[in-house]
Amino acid sequence: MAVEGGGTLSELYQSSRRLLLKTRDGLERLERLEFSSSAGSVDSPELAVAVRRDISQIQTLCSDMDGLWRSVGSKPQRDLWKRKVEQIAEEADSFKESLDRYFQRQQKRIQEAQERAELLGRANGESSHVLRIFDEEAQAMQSARNSSRMLEEATATGTAILAKYSEQRDRLKRAQRKALDVLNTLGLSNTVLRVIERRNRVDQRIKYAGMILTFIIVIAFLRWTR
């Protein structure tokens, strides 16, 4: 049970688990950088984009696995894989929400810092350097958000394509089952027709034999009465 270019259901599941651990570690690093006074403004956006990319990859794997667990023959195994895939998808959604909140906090922090710098500038006229620093950080965060949005759009497009392929595969399977049903019905009909034909031949032989036997009895009776 495999998909082209992907791997088996078990392999995809293991890959998604590894990405979940990597993503959780990336989110923890983002939080440490966010609340650390020594954190620079360049590493955080790059790390945030990397985390977003890992989340998008997990969601793509979930889409692949969603098409595979439905093909598992055993119902208990199918139900088990369904729960596993749903759990992975829920964790990925939770990580995405955490990352979105991180971006919101960063945007709010930058806006507050710019407002403070503007207030200080009106007080002493020396805020240009401070404003430039925060402008650079705001541009970096905006770039990170743009990259994240592009990743989300690419993931959504890929998921839609995979869903379309899965739908077409299901249609082909239904058509195949209908064709097999028709063939089985035709096979049964042919068998019934052959039985009817044999029965007709037997009936005809019995009819002719009865006619001959009746004719012989009549002739014998006529001869006996003379």
Side-chain angles (χ1 to χ4, degrees):
M1 197 181 346
V3 291
E4 184 177 356
T8 65
L9 180 56
S10 179
E11 290 171 346
L12 293 178
Y13 178 75
Q14 293 301 326
S15 297
S16 64
R17 292 298 304 173
R18 287 193 294 269
L19 280 172
L20 282 176
L21 293 175
K22 180 182 177 184
T23 303
R24 182 180 291 109
D25 179 68
L27 286 171
E28 292 175 354
R29 289 174 57 194
L30 280 176
E31 290 180 356
R32 289 196 297 269
L33 286 171
E34 181 181 5
F35 297 108
S36 174
S37 59
S38 60
S41 63
V42 177
D43 292 338
S44 295
E46 293 177 352
L47 179 57
V49 170
V51 171
R52 177 73 76 185
R53 184 169 57 248
D54 290 338
I55 293 174
S56 297
Q57 189 173 352
I58 295 171
Q59 291 173 331
T60 300
L61 289 173
C62 286
S63 180
D64 292 340
M65 290 188 292
D66 188 66
L68 286 176
W69 69 256
R70 300 176 188 274
S71 302
V72 176
S74 170
K75 187 178 186 305
Q77 287 294 319
R78 188 165 59 249
D79 293 340
L80 176 62
W81 277 112
K82 178 183 178 182
R83 289 193 296 271
K84 287 185 175 182
V85 174
E86 287 177 346
Q87 183 180 5
I88 294 291
E90 289 173 359
E91 291 189 55
D93 290 341
S94 176
F95 289 160
K96 181 178 180 299
E97 291 175 359
S98 297
L99 186 61
D100 289 340
R101 288 194 296 269
Y102 165 80
F103 279 127
Q104 292 172 2
R105 292 194 302 270
Q106 288 295 90
Q107 181 63 28
K108 182 179 179 181
R109 184 176 68 84
I110 291 173
Q111 290 178 350
E112 292 175 349
Q114 288 177 331
E115 291 172 358
R116 287 196 300 270
E118 290 174 356
L119 289 174
L120 288 174
R122 284 194 290 269
N124 54 30
E126 297 178 356
S127 65
S128 59
H129 176 67
V130 178
L131 284 174
R132 186 177 68 254
I133 294 175
F134 285 110
D135 283 342
E136 292 174 354
E137 185 172 358
Q139 291 175 4
M141 292 304 301
Q142 183 62 41
S143 176
R145 284 194 295 274
N146 291 338
S147 298
S148 298
R149 185 170 57 254
M150 292 174 63
L151 283 171
E152 289 179 352
E153 291 174 354
T155 300
T157 302
T159 300
I161 293 173
L162 289 172
K164 197 67 176 179
Y165 283 146
S166 178
E167 180 181 351
Q168 292 177 353
R169 185 176 64 249
D170 292 339
R171 289 180 179 175
L172 289 174
K173 286 182 178 179
R174 289 195 295 271
Q176 184 181 20
R177 284 196 295 269
K178 289 181 179 179
L180 290 175
D181 291 339
V182 171
L183 291 175
N184 290 333
T185 303
L186 291 175
L188 179 60
S189 300
N190 290 333
T191 302
V192 173
L193 288 174
R194 286 195 294 271
V195 171
I196 293 173
E197 290 175 356
R198 286 198 297 269
R199 182 61 182 271
N200 287 335
R201 287 196 296 269
V202 172
D203 290 343
Q204 289 177 356
R205 291 172 183 172
I206 293 174
K207 180 180 68 176
Y208 291 141
M211 293 171 63
I212 294 171
L213 180 61
T214 302
F215 180 75
I216 293 172
I217 292 173
V218 171
I219 296 298
F221 177 78
L222 291 175
R223 288 183 176 179
W224 183 73
T225 58
R226 285 180 182 179

